[in-house]
Structures are given as structure tokens and as C-alpha cells.
Amino acid sequence: MLRQIYIILNDNIIYQRNYAKGLDDSLFTNVYLNIKKAAFAKFADVIRSYEFFEFKLSYIVEKSLNLIFLFVTGLGDEFKNIKPQLSDFRKEFLDFYHDNIKENNLKIVTEILDPIVDNIHRNLKPKISIVGFSGVGKTTTTKLIKSEEIPMQHIPTITGEVATIKIGKLHFFLWDFAGQDQFDFLWEKFIRGSDAVLLMTDSTLENLEKSKYFFLLVNKEVPYARLAVIANKQDLPEAMKVEDIERLMGTKTYSFIAIDPNNRPKMIRIIADLLDMDAKVSPLLKPIFERDTLMDKAQKALELGEFNETVEIFEKISNICLELGDDSLAIELQEKADKLRSFLG
Amino acid sequence: MITKRVALVGKPEVGKTTIKKVIFEGEDPNELVLFPLEATIGIKYSVHEFMDMKISLLDTPGQSLPILLQDEEKQIASFENTGAIIYIFDYPTWITDSQDIIDDIQTLYKINKKHDFGSKIVLFLHKVDLLIDKKIGSRLDLIGKQINKQLDLPEDFPIYFTSLHPNLIYTIYNAISDTFSNFSEDSSKLKEIIKKTIKHSSKTICFVSNREGNLIIQSSSPDFDTTTLYYLYEKIYQFSKTPEQPLSNNKFINAGSKLLCMIIEDIGKFHPSFKNLLFFSETLKENDLNEFINEIEKELGQIYN
Ligand SMILES: Nc1nc2c(ncn2[C@@H]2O[C@H](COP(=O)(O)OP(=O)(O)O)[C@@H](O)[C@H]2O)c(=O)[nH]1
Ligand SMILES: Nc1nc2c(ncn2[C@@H]2O[C@H](COP(=O)(O)OP(=O)(O)O)[C@@H](O)[C@H]2O)c(=O)[nH]1
Ligand SMILES: [Mg+2]
């Protein structure tokens, strides 16, 4: 998925758009200096891609103008898909601004660039795969989160369903796989390039133990994808507790009830949380943003020794976490609040 | 000054040479990751100073690992008199080829036993930056346990999780400094004192850092929740980078799923190799931890003053 876009002219960032966590300022500066050296070398390629820790950095350079277009994507994105986007973007930008750059009176109009870039994000959209054994609630979940105007497209040949989901400015690409048995051999093709994989379970011990099988497959095919367990059917009395599931699976686990229509935003938030999406892009993601801000605040208060305030913030975050379906974090924070209170006496 | 030999071994492309260049030759990790180095050809020795020692570091070419693991003469040339053999493997390979890695480590163990080298075998699971997980602390802890379980050897090896990622760079410094400091007499003495002091405490951990802010000693009660380690390293590193915000004001620290009571004392006055003594505990309060510090300082005073 496209995480960030930069346009750099004469060593200044003249345009930047963030869809998800990517390079921070200091890292960008460092990376840019290195890339610039390579990009402006005499026989260097005009368009190239480098792997940099968890990111793929791809650029196209306009040497005569000292201009670089830089895309930050995930490691799962293939350069052959990024390349045409980069080329088109450069062309569109230059068609529009070429004369202004030469005349040194460049004024970037974000209202013009943003939609173009959003379109690139659409083309390099996150791929989210929902996997799990049959009957755990994958189809119900996909139906729950798909937007009404875009119908699910059933692709019989791959016994799975594909949906594009549009929420605010975000576009998600979703697979709902059938169970394991039908298409072991197709697995690789399906899962390749996934940015996030949700392992859907029905919260029973038997199903969880069986589902560990998917972990092996996911780790093998897309080791860089972000992985979470969805503890579905939490409304049933026999459902295991989320903290216990998390401990058993060793992976971030979110509680869920797919048959409850009110849970649509919750699923979107889970996905956004998992992908470190920029919460400012969509109002639906506000709780994530709020939680992160409060986390920082709690940390500050703790460091300053303002323990009463810390307790209060911990409890606030705990409530937001419940809303997000992040039960284990909610419990953790409640425990921390209690502990701090007991120390205060 | 005593000289200790340390060998870095592992498959090609795991990052041995990059680590060496960043840690000991001060090169920029970001540049080395963007523009990777050529493969190492031939065994390379280099000598570096660390605490009260000289470390002679051996970077083995990855391509020759299978040969090294079979050829007795080469084994003796590489591992005789080494204090530590650091086996480096990376996260992507662990995911796809764990059996291969297990075989390597088991072979190293056998070689070490057979020739009676007496080297300490230490494992670095490198490139953990590629492990993107919201529960990274517990995930790493789980992987560590899983590795030792799969190795199924009479002793557990220390496993360090490392990366050259700018936000995780301390992991590699800590791993190296903790491994090397085992050869330092000063550090070993202090470690014994600490062990003795916290022997009967529960859910408590103690660290000693050096002037560079790297950890040289780590000792904990057996029931300490190791999933918090990852977060503690990060916090300690952050503090060492912002000395204007005195660590001593902090009574509590948020470490993953736990809130720990903490206390810190500057012990640089006893020896220039030491800087901070840090305690973190789930069960003990400030006063108890202060007791520990008093005891340790008393013993240090007897040794060094
Ligand atoms: N009680 C309960 N039932 C659910 C929940 N989610 C799905 N189901 C039911 O479980 C059955 C299987 O769901 P489906 O989405 O078809 O599973 P899939 O095979 O994984 O796609 C259906 O009868 C759903 O109504 C839930 O959260 N709670
Ligand atoms: N993601 C990631 N890549 C790394 C890290 N350290 C090294 N690398 C990369 O690993 C590759 C192999 O490094 P190198 O030192 O030549 O391996 P050697 O054959 O073991 O000496 C290079 O592409 C490095 O950029 C790290 O911490 N994270
Ligand atoms: Mg279905």
C-alpha cells in the first residue's frame, strides 16, 4: 500500500501526503540525502526502488530540475506496479507546473494534487485478507463492512469473494477466503502482497488450535504483513475471553461480533489500527487518533509524576480501547490505573 | 589489557558485515541498508577496544559456513580461544527456514563441545524491524522460547533481538555490549553482587549501563515477565538520549502490559566503566529498591575505594 508521497524540489519538500505511518522527519532527511546521492549520480537510473527496513522506497527523478518524486510503500508492493504510477505522476505534475518551476514561482495547489495522489493510493491500495476456517464469520464480516453502493463481486474460480470498500478517503481491498481445504494450491496467489491479514476465529479453543495452521502459511508467504486475530462470536456464552486468546495465539487479538450491525465502524478501526493508518484521513478513525494522543499524554503525566492525572487518562484510554475492540489493552490499562491508585494509597 | 576473540558467524546476507561496520567503524546504518555491501570474501579480523578489554572480531564469509561447519582445521582456526561465538540469523530466514538455522546452531554446539573450545554461544535474531506486530514484546518473547525449545540442547542460549533500524539501533548496541561485558572482570564482579542482592525478590530486574548508554549487565528474578524487556530497552535508550530530563524523577514506567516501579542511581563514581544502575519491579516499591542500591553501593565501595 502507498503510505506516503513526497515531491522534493531543490532539496525542499514542496508536497507531502501521508496515508499511514512511514518515514518520520529525521528519517526522511537521512534517507533523502542518501537517495539523492544515488539518484543524481552520472549514470544513475531515472526510476528506481530500494528496500529500506520495512518500507520500499521508489523514486523518479528529473535531473535537470533537481526534482524527485518519492513513494513510500510496503515491502509487499511490487516495483512493476509502482513504476507506472510514478511515471504518470511525474507527467501529470510536470504538465501542470513545468513552466512555473522554470520561472521560479512555484505555488503548489494541494486541491489539485491531492485528488491525483488519492487516485494513486487507490491503485496501490492496502490489501487486506480475511482468512479462517469455514463458518467462523468471514462472509458476515465482509458483508458488514462493504459499502452498500459497491456490491461484492463473487469470483467462483477462486472460491472467494472480493470487495472494494470505500470509507472516507480510504479504499480497502478485501478478500474473503473460503476455508483451507478447497484451495490450498491457490493460497499463495491470494495472499501475496497482503498488507494485513485478519485471522478470523469463532473464539472456541478447538477452532483456535486449528487456526494456528494459518499462521504458518501467512508467515511463509507474507512475513511482512501485519497480523491480527479476530475473536468473533463474542456474544456466544462459550466464547473464550480475548486476553486468553491473545495469550494462546501470541498475536494481537480484537474482540468482535460480526452479526451486530453496529460493529461496522469497529472493524474499520481495527484494520486502520493494524495498518497504522493516518487517523486524520478519515473521521471514522478519530478514536484511534484520540487514543494515541491520550497515550502520549499519559506518558508525559507519568514522567512528570502527576499520578492522579495519569490514573484518569489510563481509564479514559481503557474505555476507548473497549470501543476499538481492543479488550486486552483495555484490561491492561485498567490494571495499571488500579495499581497506580493503590501505590498512591 | 586482555584480548578476547569473538567470532561472528551466520548465513550469507544476514547482516554480519553491516553490523560490524556500524558498531565498530561508525558507518551510517541507513546508508548501508539502502545500498548493501558486497559479500564478504575471506575471513576478516579486526581489533576493537571495549571496557577493560581488546576484542578481536572475526567476520566469517557466509558462503563458507557449510564448509566451516564440516572442516575441522577451519573450525580450529576460527574458534580456538574464542570467548564467544555469535551466531547471527535473520527474521525472514527464521520464518521460512527455521530448520536450517536450528541445524547450524546444533552443529556449532557440537563443534564447541567436541574441541573443548569452551566458547559461549550467543544468538542474535537480526532484522526484527521486519517484524511488524502490535504485540511485539510478547511476540519476541515467544519466538525466543520457541527457538530454545526447538534447539532441544542441554543448555539454553542467550538470544538477543537486534536491528539496525534507527528506532531500534540500541538493540544491537545492547546485544554486543552485554555479550562482551561478560569477559570483563569488573562487570562480572558487579554482576555477582547484583545477583546476590536480588536473589530472593520477585518480578524484579536490574540493569547496569555504561557511559554510552548501552546495557552491560542485566539480571532478573526468575519470575520476571520477560515480555516487558523489549519496552524497557526502548525506555532506557530514550532516557539515555535525553539527559536533560532526569530519569530520577520517574517513579513508574509504562512497559508493555505492565506498570513497573523504577529507580536509578549513578554508580560512575566507583568505576568509569559503569554509569547507571537501574531497578524495575512489579512487586517492590521505591523504598525496597533503595535498599538494594544501598547494599550494592556498600559492596562496590569495599572493592573500589
Ligand atoms: N452468534 C454469532 N454468530 C455469528 C457471528 N458471526 C457470524 N455468525 C454466524 O456464523 C455462521 C457462519 O458465518 P459466515 O460469515 O458464513 O462464515 P464464513 O464461512 O467464515 O464466511 C452464520 O450463520 C453467521 O450468522 C457472531 O459474531 N455471532
Ligand atoms: N531490514 C534490515 N536489513 C538489514 C539489517 N541489517 C542489515 N540488513 C541488510 O542485510 C543485507 C546483508 O547484509 P551484510 O552485512 O552484507 O550480510 P553478511 O553477508 O552477513 O555480511 C544487506 O542488504 C543489509 O542492508 C537490519 O537491521 N534490518
Ligand atoms: Mg464464507
Side-chain angles (χ1 to χ4, degrees):
Chain A
M1 71 179 285
L2 181 66
R3 305 187 81 85
Q4 292 176 301
I5 278 191
Y6 292 93
I7 305 176
I8 308 121
L9 175 68
N10 297 323
D11 298 339
N12 293 314
I13 300 176
I14 54 168
Y15 176 81
Q16 178 181 358
R17 193 155 169 80
N18 299 339
Y19 293 95
K21 203 158 108 191
L23 303 174
D24 59 25
D25 292 349
S26 73
L27 204 50
F28 171 81
T29 312
N30 191 312
V31 163
Y32 172 68
L33 288 176
N34 281 313
I35 285 213
K36 187 184 141 188
K37 215 161 43 184
F40 287 97
K42 209 165 186 178
F43 299 107
D45 296 325
V46 174
I47 184 161
R48 258 208 85 150
S49 158
Y50 292 99
E51 289 192 359
F52 183 69
F53 298 104
E54 73 266 48
F55 304 121
K56 186 167 274 174
L57 310 177
S58 311
Y59 66 77
I60 189 161
V61 57
E62 196 63 44
K63 287 190 196 177
S64 61
L65 295 173
N66 198 5
L67 178 67
I68 296 185
F69 303 84
L70 178 70
F71 287 11
V72 180
T73 61
L75 287 178
D77 292 288
E78 291 183 53
F79 186 49
K80 70 169 199 289
N81 299 333
I82 303 170
K83 222 167 149 171
Q85 304 293 329
L86 262 174
S87 300
D88 292 354
F89 186 49
R90 174 182 66 169
K91 185 170 180 308
E92 281 195 68
F93 181 85
L94 286 179
D95 283 351
F96 211 86
Y97 289 112
H98 190 268
D99 297 335
N100 300 29
I101 292 181
K102 286 240 158 113
E103 286 157 18
N104 260 332
N105 66 345
L106 187 68
K107 280 224 168 53
I108 295 291
V109 185
T110 49
E111 286 77 16
I112 292 170
L113 275 184
D114 285 354
I116 299 174
V117 173
D118 283 348
N119 197 37
I120 297 172
H121 178 248
R122 212 158 16 247
N123 293 329
L124 298 171
K125 61 185 155 244
K127 177 169 176 179
I128 297 137
S129 305
I130 303 188
V131 302
F133 284 98
S134 133
V136 292
K138 299 185 300 297
T139 306
T140 314
T141 302
T142 334
K143 291 222 168 94
L144 176 77
I145 48 179
K146 75 171 182 175
S147 68
E148 293 315 318
E149 65 273 26
I150 302 166
M152 286 289 283
Q153 189 190 348
H154 189 76
I155 304 184
T157 48
I158 51 175
T159 62
E161 295 193 69
V162 184
T164 305
I165 296 155
K166 202 173 127 193
I167 297 122
K169 289 194 168 62
L170 303 176
H171 291 251
F172 297 105
F173 184 69
L174 234 139
W175 289 103
D176 165 21
F177 297 110
Q180 159 216 359
D181 15 319
Q182 294 103 312
F183 64 110
D184 237 6
F185 60 101
L186 285 168
W187 169 273
E188 203 178 315
K189 189 172 140 219
F190 282 155
I191 199 91
R192 198 181 296 147
S194 294
D195 294 283
V197 179
L198 301 176
L199 174 57
M200 181 75 61
T201 71
D202 63 11
S203 302
T204 62
L205 184 60
E206 192 206 346
N207 177 251
L208 287 162
E209 288 291 352
K210 263 199 326 196
S211 296
K212 285 183 179 166
Y213 162 81
F214 283 106
F215 274 1
L216 297 176
L217 295 177
V218 169
N219 276 334
K220 225 180 179 83
E221 292 307 330
V222 279
Y224 314 129
R226 291 156 191 234
L227 189 63
V229 173
I230 305 296
N232 192 32
K233 307 199 184 183
Q234 283 290 313
D235 56 317
L236 298 180
E238 62 267 29
M240 268 176 77
K241 278 210 249 132
V242 175
E243 323 91 89
D244 297 335
I245 297 177
E246 189 164 274
R247 212 167 300 129
L248 179 74
M249 306 299 273
T251 301
K252 183 78 231 158
T253 303
Y254 297 90
S255 76
F256 204 63
I257 302 171
I259 48 166
D260 179 355
N262 295 325
N263 272 333
R264 178 170 182 259
K266 184 163 162 181
M267 188 41 111
I268 307 298
R269 284 185 217 123
I270 291 174
I271 293 170
D273 189 29
L274 200 59
L275 286 172
D276 281 323
M277 302 288 297
D278 198 320
K280 279 167 279 183
V281 183
S282 162
L284 251 186
L285 310 181
K286 220 175 115 220
I288 294 178
F289 184 58
E290 221 171 277
R291 182 202 57 191
D292 294 347
T293 319
L294 282 175
M295 283 283 201
D296 288 345
K297 249 172 111 178
Q299 189 60 38
K300 286 262 154 55
L302 193 65
E303 279 165 21
L304 291 170
E306 286 159 8
F307 299 130
N308 285 316
E309 192 188 337
T310 315
V311 170
E312 243 172 67
I313 306 174
F314 275 164
E315 287 182 334
K316 236 189 240 166
I317 307 172
S318 181
N319 285 331
I320 296 179
C321 287
L322 281 179
E323 197 184 326
L324 286 169
D326 195 340
D327 291 20
S328 68
L329 193 56
I331 292 167
E332 258 171 49
L333 281 154
Q334 192 55 53
E335 276 172 8
K336 284 179 186 172
D338 293 345
K339 181 166 182 183
L340 206 50
R341 212 181 263 123
S342 80
F343 266 83
L344 293 174
Chain B
M1 220 184 240
I2 54 161
T3 301
K4 274 287 166 190
R5 291 182 68 195
V6 173
L8 288 180
V9 293
K11 297 192 183 303
E13 285 292 300
V14 299
K16 299 180 294 296
T17 309
T18 314
I19 290 175
K20 194 184 87 172
K21 293 219 179 255
V22 170
I23 303 285
F24 297 108
E25 295 165 28
E27 295 205 20
D28 174 9
N30 298 337
E31 187 174 342
L32 290 180
V33 169
L34 276 172
F35 315 113
L37 298 158
E38 301 281 309
T40 310
I41 302 165
I43 293 181
K44 297 242 162 63
Y45 282 100
S46 50
V47 179
H48 314 276
E49 288 195 11
F50 183 85
M51 294 180 76
D52 47 357
M53 303 163 288
K54 271 203 170 107
I55 302 279
S56 152
L57 198 67
L58 158 85
D59 178 10
T60 58
Q63 291 79 356
S64 69
L65 184 65
I67 305 169
L68 185 65
L69 295 182
Q70 278 166 18
D71 183 332
E72 294 226 348
E73 244 172 73
K74 284 224 168 65
Q75 286 164 17
I76 292 172
S78 304
F79 300 142
E80 201 171 32
N81 298 322
T82 49
I85 301 173
I86 302 178
Y87 180 79
I88 306 180
F89 54 115
D90 63 7
Y91 175 68
T93 322
W94 171 252
I95 291 300
T96 51
D97 260 325
S98 59
Q99 192 51 51
D100 212 20
I101 289 166
I102 295 289
D103 290 345
D104 279 356
I105 303 171
Q106 285 173 337
T107 311
L108 273 178
Y109 176 81
K110 281 187 207 127
I111 293 171
N112 192 29
K113 274 273 170 300
K114 182 171 154 213
H115 296 292
D116 235 344
F117 290 139
S119 308
K120 198 171 139 85
I121 295 178
V122 178
L123 311 179
F124 284 13
L125 176 50
H126 191 52
K127 306 190 190 174
V128 291
D129 53 90
L130 295 174
L131 198 158
I132 306 158
D133 199 302
K134 294 257 161 198
K135 282 268 163 184
I136 189 164
S138 17
R139 189 83 187 275
L140 290 177
D141 196 52
L142 210 71
I143 293 175
K145 288 182 178 136
Q146 188 192 4
I147 291 170
N148 267 315
K149 197 170 137 207
Q150 268 181 261
L151 279 171
D152 195 24
L153 292 170
E155 53 191 292
D156 277 0
F157 298 128
I159 300 175
Y160 296 92
F161 299 100
T162 59
S163 167
L164 297 176
H165 190 288
N167 300 338
L168 295 169
I169 189 85
Y170 57 89
T171 56
I172 188 73
Y173 280 102
N174 286 348
I176 295 275
S177 61
D178 197 33
T179 303
F180 288 3
S181 72
N182 278 310
F183 309 127
S184 153
E185 234 179 86
D186 293 318
S187 145
S188 303
K189 264 189 270 179
L190 178 53
K191 192 166 182 170
E192 280 315 306
I193 297 173
I194 292 171
K195 265 193 183 157
K196 201 176 66 193
T197 312
I198 63 170
K199 201 166 55 190
H200 299 298
S201 64
S202 139
K203 302 199 175 169
T204 300
I205 193 163
C206 175
F207 297 102
V208 177
S209 67
N210 63 14
R211 260 163 228 291
E212 285 74 46
N214 306 318
L215 299 180
I216 52 173
I217 297 176
Q218 165 180 330
S219 181
S220 65
S221 36
D223 59 353
F224 185 76
D225 178 358
T226 43
T227 62
T228 60
L229 270 177
Y230 175 86
Y231 303 95
L232 287 177
Y233 293 149
E234 191 183 350
K235 288 280 151 61
I236 295 171
Y237 173 73
Q238 283 168 359
F239 282 131
S240 76
K241 289 292 145 207
T242 47
E244 67 277 6
Q245 187 191 19
L247 195 55
S248 46
N249 280 353
N250 282 270
K251 291 200 175 70
F252 295 98
I253 192 161
N254 216 348
S257 59
K258 297 283 162 54
L259 189 74
L260 305 178
C261 186
M262 72 166 268
I263 192 154
I264 178 170
E265 174 79 2
D266 187 341
I267 55 167
K269 53 186 178 284
F270 295 104
H271 197 287
S273 296
F274 309 142
K275 175 67 183 158
N276 286 324
L277 175 67
L278 305 107
F279 275 97
F280 299 91
S281 180
E282 258 189 75
T283 53
L284 300 174
K285 298 194 182 182
E286 210 180 341
N287 292 345
D288 309 315
L289 297 177
N290 266 323
E291 289 277 308
F292 285 164
I293 286 187
N294 289 340
E295 272 175 55
I296 291 169
E297 289 202 315
K298 211 165 82 195
E299 296 216 28
L300 282 175
Q302 282 163 7
I303 300 175
Y304 292 108
N305 291 342

